Amino acid sequence: MTAGSIFSRVLGAIYVIPWYLWMGHAAAAGNALFARGYNIYSLFLIISTAGIPSAVSKQVAHYLAGDDYASAKKLFRRSLALMIGLGVISAAALWGLTPLLAMQNGHVDGRMIPVLHALVWPLLLIPPMSIFRGYFQGFAEMAPSAISQLLEQLARVVYMLGSTYLIMRVGSGDYVQAVAHSTFGAFVGAVMALIYLIVVYWHRHDEFVELATAPAAPTKTLLKEVLQQSLPFIILDAGTVLYQFFDQYSFPEFLQHFFIVSQPQQEYLYGLFAFNTNKLVMIVVSLASAMAVTAIPLLAAAYTRHDRQGVAAQIENILRLFFLVMWPSALGMAAVARPLYTLFYVDDPLGESMLRFNAYVAILMGLFTVLAAVMQGLYQNRQAIKYFLIGFGVKICLQFPLVYWTVGFGPLIATMIGMAVTVGLMLGALDRQYDLDWSRIGKEVTQLLLASLVMYAVTALVVAGLAAWLGGMRKLTAVPVLLIGAGIGAGVYSYLVLHWRLADDLLGSRIAGIRKRLRIR
């Protein structure tokens, strides 16, 4: 699941290189328009799915832990019908509310209308598609979700790039039309993924039928349980999207309140943190998202068995695995920020600084994603929502002064502080209930941080040295600098993790074999 999520995110970022190039002089405006449309679409998507796919995954795991296969199967069918209806309703709502959602600085932005209309169509397919994924995940079958995710992203990117090239390089050159077709790519991707999931389900159908021998629970009971569990998923799954949604409507207003800025300047600053750097940083956050999705059914099953020690061990392992992956990913991205940003966009000192800072924010965003999933898997929904709302309130309060003091960095700093508050409250609640072994977790997390800081220092020196030797940074030179810097950094971190034996009990006996083959003591 993690591999599928990473490849999907990487593919969803790599397309930016030709897309940005083909957009030409309209790249900054196109970026801002794309980001604004997708933020609205993401929020509608989360509302339209109503948290039901994650709740289905959780409840299916719950029923399977009690050998109630019939209820799991019936739950899937009823939820699928419900999601088809919700998809139609949400698509109609987005179409009808388009003029209101296209408002910016007190007037309707006509460029947003075709973009939002193009995003109506995927809302019809993604809700039922997500039920298939949740059902398979409840069975601890992660491959169908991961492969469908890859197919979805591949089809989406092919359509996006093909349509953008034809419009911007062959056709009219209308960047609004190009952005609208780029967003419509979400529908094309959803079609491919849904077809694949239906085929897999059809092939596995007989196996699921054989398991379901006992009578299922009543439909009313099944749907009531899922709907009760789904509301927290709406709020918590929408956590990062709500932060971005707030930025989309508050940042232009706050910026104009304090400074005299033109629309191109405003779109440039907004595009930097909301699209350019966010697109790359979400690759890192996707690591946490994948771990979070897999954690929910595991924790729900342990909770159903009343295995308190098993739950505590799962939480500790999830935290250790998170930092094993997230420390080097975030710090590594910060170390190669200049060649990475140049490769995808241009050599822009402000964009590079913002990418570096946003990489640090990604650690807290990822940790929030994981902890929210943990608390939901343990049926601590109300507490999780309460802690999220407290952190979100902190961001809202800090955003106004931080935009004045730090301009484009303001929303990122406010997000970092808000997420830190929520994460701190969640960790405290889990510790009080399950008495986590912080001496062990703290020691390992600190060692992983130290290894990551050594990697960061080495990588940053290599990148700076190569940039000075090459006399600057351009797209062509950014590729070898990025590959060499990232390769050396990965080698340093891997050596230190193996040498200090930081992943042996997490990743199993294969680690000892790797260490032996590499002759690391």
Side-chain angles (χ1 to χ4, degrees):
M1 191 70 188
T2 304
S5 185
I6 294 168
F7 283 124
S8 177
R9 289 287 185 180
V10 169
L11 189 60
I14 287 176
Y15 85 83
V16 172
I17 299 172
W19 190 85
Y20 195 87
L21 183 67
W22 293 338
M23 291 296 286
H25 66 281
N31 271 349
L33 190 61
F34 190 99
R36 286 170 57 198
Y38 243 81
N39 283 345
I40 294 169
Y41 163 72
S42 297
L43 192 60
F44 265 78
L45 187 59
I46 289 169
I47 294 171
S48 69
T49 54
I52 291 174
S54 296
V56 166
S57 169
K58 179 178 173 181
Q59 289 305 108
V60 166
H62 168 76
Y63 290 130
L64 295 183
D67 294 327
D68 189 357
Y69 295 98
S71 293
K73 179 186 172 186
K74 188 174 181 180
L75 174 64
F76 163 72
R77 290 183 173 180
R78 298 297 184 269
S79 299
L80 183 61
L82 177 64
M83 295 307 285
I84 291 171
L86 282 175
V88 173
I89 292 169
S90 63
L94 179 56
W95 187 281
L97 292 171
T98 290
L100 180 63
L101 295 169
M103 294 286 288
Q104 192 76 44
N105 294 328
H107 67 276
V108 176
D109 185 348
R111 301 172 304 168
M112 285 289 291
I113 303 294
V115 173
L116 291 176
H117 282 172
L119 287 166
V120 165
W121 305 106
L123 285 176
L124 295 170
L125 296 185
I126 291 181
M129 177 184 73
S130 60
I131 285 293
F132 279 96
R133 288 175 174 167
Y135 185 60
F136 284 124
Q137 288 162 20
F139 275 87
E141 294 280 350
M142 300 299 165
S145 289
I147 294 170
S148 69
Q149 208 172 13
L150 279 173
L151 286 173
E152 180 183 4
Q153 191 71 284
L154 182 63
R156 172 177 168 265
V157 167
V158 169
Y159 181 85
M160 285 178 71
L161 292 181
S163 60
T164 301
Y165 180 81
L166 290 173
I167 293 168
M168 297 302 295
R169 295 295 171 178
V170 180
S172 63
D174 182 351
Y175 80 91
V176 176
Q177 187 183 14
V179 172
H181 274 274
S182 295
T183 54
F184 184 74
F187 175 77
V188 178
V191 170
M192 293 297 294
L194 185 57
I195 291 171
Y196 168 77
L197 288 167
I198 290 172
V199 169
V200 173
Y201 177 79
W202 186 260
H203 281 296
R204 301 289 304 277
H205 181 260
D206 291 341
E207 178 184 337
F208 293 145
V209 168
E210 288 172 7
L211 291 171
T213 54
T219 299
K220 185 178 179 180
T221 302
L222 293 171
L223 291 180
K224 182 181 177 182
E225 288 178 353
V226 167
L227 291 173
Q228 284 176 341
Q229 295 299 323
S230 67
L231 180 60
F233 282 101
I234 300 175
I235 298 172
L236 296 170
D237 286 357
T240 54
V241 177
L242 285 172
Y243 273 64
Q244 294 165 1
F245 198 71
F246 177 69
D247 291 341
Q248 176 170 324
Y249 289 98
S250 67
F251 180 69
E253 298 287 346
F254 293 170
L255 196 64
Q256 288 196 335
H257 180 81
F258 293 124
F259 310 103
I260 299 173
V261 291
S262 64
Q263 185 174 351
Q265 288 175 319
Q266 178 183 301
E267 289 178 339
Y268 164 71
L269 288 171
Y270 175 72
L272 281 184
F273 74 83
F275 184 88
N276 293 15
T277 61
N278 187 63
K279 198 76 179 172
L280 299 172
V281 160
M282 289 310 291
I283 297 173
V284 176
V285 177
S286 69
L287 296 169
S289 300
M291 283 188 276
V293 168
T294 56
I296 293 171
L298 292 171
L299 286 165
Y303 183 88
T304 301
R305 294 191 299 267
H306 304 289
D307 183 2
R308 190 171 180 276
Q309 287 187 330
V311 170
Q314 283 279 6
I315 295 171
E316 290 169 10
N317 287 338
I318 288 167
L319 288 173
R320 291 159 59 213
L321 182 61
F322 171 81
F323 285 107
L324 174 70
V325 175
M326 191 59 76
W327 280 141
S329 299
L331 291 175
M333 180 170 282
V336 299
R338 187 180 181 188
L340 184 62
Y341 194 89
T342 302
L343 175 62
F344 278 83
Y345 306 106
V346 292
D347 188 13
D348 181 355
L350 180 58
E352 293 150 16
S353 298
M354 204 167 282
L355 174 59
R356 192 172 291 111
F357 186 80
N358 211 351
Y360 305 139
V361 178
I363 298 171
L364 286 166
M365 291 175 65
L367 188 54
F368 160 74
T369 303
V370 168
L371 292 176
V374 167
M375 295 192 77
Q376 288 171 100
L378 298 172
Y379 297 86
Q380 296 184 16
N381 300 327
R382 289 186 179 180
Q383 279 183 292
I385 292 172
K386 175 185 173 183
Y387 298 150
F388 165 73
L389 292 176
I390 291 171
F392 190 47
V394 169
K395 174 183 168 64
I396 291 172
C397 294
L398 293 177
Q399 185 105 320
F400 189 76
L402 284 172
V403 169
Y404 174 70
W405 291 328
T406 62
V407 195
F409 285 89
L412 295 179
I413 298 172
T415 293
M416 175 180 272
I417 297 172
M419 286 287 183
V421 170
T422 297
V423 163
L425 291 170
M426 286 180 167
L427 285 173
L430 290 170
D431 183 42
R432 285 191 298 273
Q433 186 161 358
Y434 292 99
D435 192 25
L436 304 178
D437 186 357
W438 284 109
S439 59
R440 181 188 181 192
I441 299 171
K443 180 182 177 182
E444 289 194 16
V445 168
T446 303
Q447 289 176 318
L448 290 168
L449 176 59
L450 180 59
S452 300
L453 288 172
V454 172
M455 174 214 68
Y456 174 87
V458 172
T459 305
L461 285 172
V462 169
V463 168
L466 288 172
W469 180 61
L470 292 167
M473 195 69 65
R474 295 171 296 280
K475 281 191 181 293
L476 191 62
T477 57
V479 176
V481 173
L482 181 61
L483 291 175
I484 294 170
I488 291 175
V492 169
Y493 182 74
S494 299
Y495 173 81
L496 291 175
V497 166
L498 290 169
H499 180 63
W500 292 346
R501 289 167 168 74
L502 298 179
D504 284 32
D505 59 338
L506 273 177
L507 302 181
S509 59
R510 276 179 278 184
I511 291 295
I514 294 171
R515 185 165 44 244
K516 185 177 180 180
R517 284 194 293 273
L518 295 176
R519 298 181 181 179
I520 297 174
R521 294 183 178 181

